Amino acid sequence: MKKTKLFYPVLLLMLVFLIAGCESEKTIDEEQVSSETIASIEDADDIVDELVSILEEVYADEEFSTVAFKEEKREKFLPECAVKTVEREAGIKNVTIDFGDGCTMKNDKVLKGKVLMSYASDRSLKTRSVTHGYEGFYINDKKISGESSSVKVYSNENGNRQTTFTEAILITWDSGETASREGTRITELISGGEQEGWASKVYEISGSWTSTSKSGEVHSVEITEKLRKELACRFIVSGVKEISKTNKSGTLDFGDGSCDSKATFTDLDGVIEEIELQKNKRK
C-alpha cells in the first residue's frame, strides 16, 4: 500500500515534466522560420519585385527611349491593354498607367487599376525623386496600397543607372489576409539598355526590409549577396537573403543563375530545405 501511495506522486511529477518539455519544444519550434512563412514572404516579395519592374520600365521608356525607337524597333514592355497618359504642369511630369479591369503582362501576371508617378520634368537633372501612387491597383488579384517613392541616379559610381526604392506597402488577398513590407531596396542596371529592349536588362538588387507575413509573423529580411534579376526570366536567378525572426534566422539561396522556380533555405542548424517559388508561374 505504501508503494502505491508513493507511485502516484512520482508518476504525476513525471507527467508535469513531460508536459513542460513538450511545451518548451513547441515554443522552440514556433520560433523557427517555417517553409510556409518563407513562401508567404516570397509571395509578397514577388509582388513588390513586379511593382518595381513596372515603375522602372515605365520611367525608362518615358525618359531614355527615342520616339523612333519606341515606335518602330523595340518590343514594348507594357502590353497594348495598358494605357499611358502623360501630363506636364509647372515643371512636374505626371505619368499614369491604366491597366483597366484586367491586363495580362508578358510574364502572365494580370494587372488592373492604375499606377501613378510624379517627378520633375527637367531632363538635365542627374538625380530625380519620384513619388508613386496606386488607385485600385491589383497584381494577380492582390491589392497594392500604401506609400512608396524612389530616388533615381542617372550614373552611379559604377557608371550605371541606379534606383533607391523606399516602401511601406500593404498587400491584400481576396480572402482578406494581408502582408506588408517596409524598407529600402536598391536596384542597379548592370546589363542591357533601352536600345536593346527590355528583355535584355539585368539588375542587381540589394537592401533590407521588415516583412509581416499573412499569419502576422514579423521578420527582418536582408540581402547578403546581391540578387540578380533578369527581366527575361520570371524568377530571381541568384543571390542570397537572410531571413530572421527573434533569435532564429536562416538563408534563402536563389541558385547559380539558372532560370527556375527553386530556392534553398538553410536554417541555423544547417538543415537544408528546397522552396518552390510561386507555383503558379511558368517560364
Side-chain angles (χ1 to χ4, degrees), residues 59 64 125-129 150-157 159-164 187:
Y59 179 85
F64 301 115
L125 296 173
K126 299 301 181 183
T127 300
R128 282 178 172 175
S129 296
S150 58
V151 176
K152 298 182 179 297
V153 177
Y154 180 73
S155 180
N156 67 5
E157 59 186 10
N160 297 327
R161 287 214 322 265
Q162 177 177 296
T163 298
T164 300
T187 61

Side-chain angles (χ1 to χ4, degrees), residues 85-151:
T85 304
V86 180
E87 298 178 345
R88 295 173 175 83
E89 182 179 359
I92 300 297
K93 180 182 287 189
N94 298 303
V95 181
T96 300
I97 306 297
D98 189 347
F99 295 95
D101 295 328
C103 185
T104 302
M105 302 291 285
K106 292 181 174 64
N107 59 7
D108 296 333
K109 289 188 174 70
V110 179
L111 280 58
K112 60 182 178 180
K114 296 179 181 180
V115 173
L116 301 89
M117 302 172 63
S118 181
Y119 53 90
S121 59
D122 185 355
R123 289 192 174 186
S124 67
L125 296 173
K126 299 301 181 183
T127 300
R128 282 178 172 175
S129 296
V130 183
T131 58
H132 315 133
Y134 312 101
E135 292 184 2
F137 181 61
Y138 291 77
I139 298 178
N140 285 352
D141 294 323
K142 302 175 181 72
K143 185 177 182 180
I144 311 300
S145 57
E147 301 177 350
S148 66
S149 62
S150 58
V151 176

Side-chain angles (χ1 to χ4, degrees), residues 166-182:
T166 303
E167 69 203 60
I169 297 292
L170 180 69
I171 303 168
T172 304
W173 278 257
D174 284 342
S175 62
E177 296 174 297
T178 62
S180 63
R181 274 188 30 160
E182 185 171 351

